[in-house]
Amino acid sequence: MPKVSVIMGVVNATSRMDESIKSIIQQDFTDWEFIICDDGSTDDTYEKLLEWHNRDNRIIPIKNEKNIGLAATLNHCIEYCEGEYIARMDDDDISYPNRLRKQVEFLDNNTAFAFVSSKCDIFDGNNVYQSKIKTIEKPIKKDFLWQSRFIHPATMFRAKALHEVGGYRVAKETYKSQDYDLFMRLYSKGMIGYNIQEPLLRYSVNPNLRKKKTKYRYRVNEAIIRYKGFKSLGLMPQAIPYIFKPLILGLIPVNILDFLKIKRKF
């Protein structure tokens, strides 16, 4: 069985997933399987995944007959995972060549942590930036009040930790924030994470998709996730003001928020 199972959900991704897949194939750690689930694409995404499998049989394509959303799709991937560790990946991001090795070494040598993530570079389609937001090395429960403290596609989990919390929670409010919900549920069970203090992934931020992602109804959903998460973490009632943060930020233009979050790196 492989040491690491990498999981990724894709929808109509023929034009963007190749570089992401290549970045896993080019890892300097080779003991992995890459489970990619086509979530009801209407183009030839699945056929292209089969081509990738023919080139490298560590790539395992699966598919959903209809679109069921990212959380359910990742749970479908987890059903196929045989690795001790499960690493996330998105179809428009790039894992740096040392990512899997560094994260495996960390989890092998630090058994107190249920998962590990890292700093990331941010790519807007033209330039690479570095986030202005501090990446906390060892987040504690109260650090989740402001925002999620881990970058989802840069994270590697112990498989047993994901199974213990039942994987991703599939609900209306988790549609765009399944990762925030997951991290808080892990912490509520006494499991903690760590951030490696160097970029191990190039994280893509598409300005057009950002506008869609931040529709106000998603802000409302995040407020619901915050309420449930903060309650499970024992942060209430002090956390009540932070529940309303996404509702307030939803009134600020996306381009202004992005300007405040990133700085040019190179």
Side-chain angles (χ1 to χ4, degrees), residues 103-245:
Q103 292 183 324
V104 166
E105 289 174 353
F106 178 86
L107 291 176
D108 279 350
N109 295 313
N110 296 274
T111 57
F113 294 92
F115 60 97
V116 61
S117 193
S118 73
K119 288 186 174 181
C120 293
D121 293 325
I122 298 174
F123 179 60
D124 67 0
N126 297 302
N127 299 296
V128 179
Y129 302 88
Q130 196 171 46
S131 175
K132 288 182 178 180
I133 299 173
K134 182 181 179 182
T135 304
I136 300 172
E137 190 173 6
K138 300 177 184 179
I140 59 177
K141 290 181 178 179
K142 69 176 184 179
D143 291 323
F144 287 98
L145 289 172
W146 188 249
Q147 65 185 34
S148 177
R149 291 300 177 178
F150 302 96
I151 296 176
H152 190 204
T155 305
M156 180 182 289
F157 304 88
R158 297 188 190 277
K160 64 180 181 180
L162 286 181
H163 289 302
E164 186 171 334
V165 297
Y168 293 86
R169 186 166 67 90
V170 180
K172 179 181 177 181
E173 67 266 17
T174 63
Y175 175 58
K176 290 291 185 180
S177 301
Q178 64 281 327
D179 53 334
Y180 195 9
D181 178 81
L182 174 64
F183 294 136
M184 288 193 286
R185 287 191 295 114
L186 286 164
Y187 267 68
S188 74
K189 297 294 185 181
M191 293 179 272
I192 59 175
Y194 182 90
N195 280 309
I196 294 174
Q197 297 297 294
E198 67 174 283
L200 296 180
L201 180 125
R202 193 190 77 181
Y203 182 72
S204 293
V205 177
N206 185 316
N208 296 324
L209 293 179
R210 282 274 294 152
K211 291 178 181 178
K212 295 179 181 178
K213 184 177 181 179
T214 50
K215 286 182 178 179
Y216 207 75
R217 67 176 179 271
Y218 302 144
R219 300 287 188 176
V220 174
N221 290 342
E222 184 183 336
I224 295 171
I225 286 173
R226 284 169 171 265
Y227 169 75
K228 292 182 177 180
F230 297 162
K231 186 177 180 181
S232 71
L233 292 173
L235 298 174
M236 302 291 278
Q238 297 90 338
I240 290 176
Y242 294 92
I243 294 172
F244 298 98
K245 178 206 167 195

